[in-house]
Amino acid sequence: MKLTRKELYDLVWSEPMTTVCKRFGISDNGLRKHCKSMNIPTPPMGYWAKFQNQKQVEKIPLPSDYNGNKQNVNLREVDPNDIIVDLDPPVNKQRELEKRLASENPDSYIVPEVLYAKEALIFDTKEKLRLENEPNASNIYLRNNPYKSQIKETLDFHVSIESTDRALSIFYTVIKVLRNRGHNIKINKEKTYAVVNGEEFRINITERKKQNRNSDNPHNNYNNMFCGELHFNIFYFYDYWEKNTCYKDTAFTKLEDKIAAIIAFCEIKSEEIKENRLEEENRRIKLEEEKRIREEFEAKRRAELKELEARRKAEVKEFQLLFTMAERLQKANILRNYINTYEEYLQKNKIDDKEILAKIEWAKEKADWLDPFISKADEYLDHYDKDEIIPPDHSERYSRSNQDDSERHSRSNQNNSEQSGVYNFWARPWWKKK
C-alpha cells in the first residue's frame, strides 16, 4: 500500500500508533522514523488516553513547508494471525557433505569384516602388536624374527587384543578414503596425523574401559577392563587451543557407520581452520600496518620535536649573539664616551702632549676593535675573546647616572692603584695639568 504524506498523517492521527504498527507489521520506532523523515507530527504521549476519556486534546496540524524528496511510503498490510515460517533454514555443511560423500561412492565407506589389507601401515602395526602381545615373546625364534627389524611406522591406537582387527579395519578404511580424496596420512613420533587440505589432524582409536566387578578392588583404575566400545578421536588446533572431537560406538550405532562423518568433519574443519588462519593473518598484517603507521607517526613527531628543539636552540644562540654584539657596541660606546670626555678635558685645560695624544689614538683603535660594526684587527688583542676581556657586568660601573658615584668610584680606583703601586694612565687625566 502506497501512502502519501497526507494519508500517513491522517492514519497516525486516526488511531493509536501501536494499532497502526500491528496492521503493517512494523515496529513503533520504524513507523515514527517514516513520519520523521516526511516531517509528519505524531500524537504526543497520553494523547489517546485523554481522547478516550473525552478530554480536550490538541491535534498538531500537518506542516505545509515540507520540501523533502520523500513524498510517499510503501507499507504492506499483514494478518496478525499469520505464522511466519523460515523457508530457508541454515544449512549444516558437514551433514550436506556427509550425504554427498556417501552417495558418490558408498562402497568405499564400508568397513570390511575381515582384514585383508596390504597397506604397509596396517601390516607393520599388526605385526608389532603380535610381537608385543605374544605370550612366548622371550622365545628365541621371536627375538630372531627377521621381520621384526623391518617394522617401521605404526598407527596410534590402544585397544584390546580382541578389538585389534576391528580397529585396524576402521583405520584402513579411513586411510583409503582419505587418499582417494587427495589427502594423506603421516606418522610423526609414533603419532598418526591425517593431512587434510594441508591441515594436520592427530587421530587415534581407543577402547573405553570399565570397572571390573570381579576384581578384589573394582575402584582401582588399574583393574579396569576393556568393554569393546571403540572411540575414533580427532585432535586439532583452533584459536591457539587444542580441541578434540570423538566418534564412538553407541547403543544404536557403530563406529563403522561413521566413516563418511569422520571424513566430512575433517574436510569441513580444515576449511574453517584455514579461514581462521587467514583471518588471523589478515588481522596480524592489519595490526602490523597500524603499528608501522603509529611508529612512523611517532618517529615523525620525534623528528619534528627534535627539529623544533634545534630551532629553539639556534634561536637562543642567535639571540645571545645579538645580545653579545649589543653589549660589545655598548662597551665600545662607553670607551668612546670616555675618550671624548678625556679629549674635552684636555682641550679645556689646554693640555697638548704627544704621549697623551698617542694614548688617545690607541684607545680609539681599541674601541674600533671592540665595535661589532668595525671589528678592526688588532695584533695583540685578536688572540683573546672580546667578551672575556671585559666581563658583562663591568659596563654597569660606567652606565650609572649618578655622577658623584662615578667620581667616587674613580677616586677609589686611583687610591687602590696608588696603594698597590700599579700605574694607571687613564685614572689620572690631570697628571700633566699645567
Side-chain angles (χ1 to χ4, degrees), residues 336-398:
R336 292 191 179 103
N337 185 36
Y338 183 77
I339 293 170
N340 292 335
T341 305
Y342 203 104
E343 287 180 332
E344 291 176 359
Y345 175 82
L346 295 178
Q347 292 175 3
K348 181 178 179 182
N349 292 279
K350 298 179 181 181
I351 299 175
D352 186 10
D353 187 271
K354 293 183 179 180
E355 181 183 0
I356 296 176
L357 295 178
K359 283 285 187 180
I360 293 297
E361 292 301 323
W362 177 88
K364 290 180 179 179
E365 291 178 356
K366 302 307 176 188
D368 291 342
W369 171 79
L370 186 61
D371 193 330
F373 296 105
I374 300 176
S375 296
K376 186 176 182 180
D378 190 278
E379 181 180 0
Y380 303 103
L381 297 184
D382 283 345
H383 299 281
Y384 299 94
D385 189 350
K386 296 181 180 181
D387 301 316
E388 291 182 355
I389 293 178
I390 302 177
D393 59 345
H394 187 78
S395 60
E396 296 180 0
R397 298 184 301 176
Y398 300 97

Side-chain angles (χ1 to χ4, degrees), residues 31-60:
L31 183 59
R32 290 185 184 276
K33 285 183 178 180
H34 285 300
C35 295
K36 184 177 180 180
S37 63
M38 300 173 68
N39 194 17
I40 299 175
T42 55
M45 186 178 297
Y47 175 86
W48 294 108
K50 294 180 181 179
F51 182 82
Q52 292 175 358
N53 293 326
Q54 298 181 354
K55 293 185 179 180
Q56 186 178 1
V57 292
E58 181 181 358
K59 183 178 180 180
I60 303 175

